[in-house]
Amino acid sequence: MLLAFAGLCAASFAQGSYGYDSNTIDRHAVVTSPGRWFFSVGGGVEVLLGNGDAQGDFGDRISRTFNAAISKWFSPVIGLRLMYSGIQAKGYSSSPNSFSKGQVAGTNYYKQNLIT
């Protein structure tokens, strides 16, 4: 009973207006101020999941990754982002290609190592 009353009180507070006056703010205005730029960077590890990748050990397919982005908001719903993501991808293929590094002994699969 007490929990239901607390939920009812919280719901009534959610209905209030906290500093937003619809008569003075144009919600659809396009603002192009210079303060709407943002940057992001990240890194970690990834595992490539492809058709021939089950032939290799999971640990041999782990590779590093990095990403960096620069973005600009033109309006609350429209923006533009320029991003780089990747460094390396490791996997296995059933046929030789430009990323093949050699045939896995005793199999018909080739190791792949793509560095961007």
Side-chain angles (χ1 to χ4, degrees):
M1 183 71 153
L2 182 61
L3 188 59
F5 180 71
L8 180 63
C9 291
S12 66
F13 283 120
Q15 302 301 318
S17 175
Y18 295 103
Y20 175 75
D21 184 6
S22 62
N23 296 327
T24 60
I25 297 174
D26 184 8
R27 294 182 0 200
H28 305 290
V30 176
V31 180
T32 58
S33 67
R36 295 187 176 265
W37 286 92
F38 65 95
F39 308 93
S40 63
V41 294
V45 295
E46 65 184 4
V47 175
L48 184 63
L49 299 174
N51 291 335
D53 290 327
Q55 301 303 316
D57 291 335
F58 181 79
D60 292 338
R61 296 188 340 240
I62 296 175
S63 59
R64 63 186 188 264
T65 185
F66 170 77
N67 59 54
I70 181 171
S71 306
K72 168 85 166 114
W73 282 109
F74 298 107
S75 75
V77 295
I78 298 173
L80 180 69
R81 173 179 284 176
L82 177 65
M83 183 173 189
Y84 167 80
S85 182
I87 286 185
Q88 186 177 23
K90 295 179 181 179
Y92 291 86
S93 173
S94 59
S95 61
N97 56 44
S98 59
F99 307 115
S100 297
K101 299 297 182 189
Q103 190 168 4
V104 178
T107 68
N108 291 331
Y109 287 91
Y110 298 84
K111 281 188 174 182
Q112 297 182 98
N113 191 359
L114 171 66
I115 299 177
T116 60

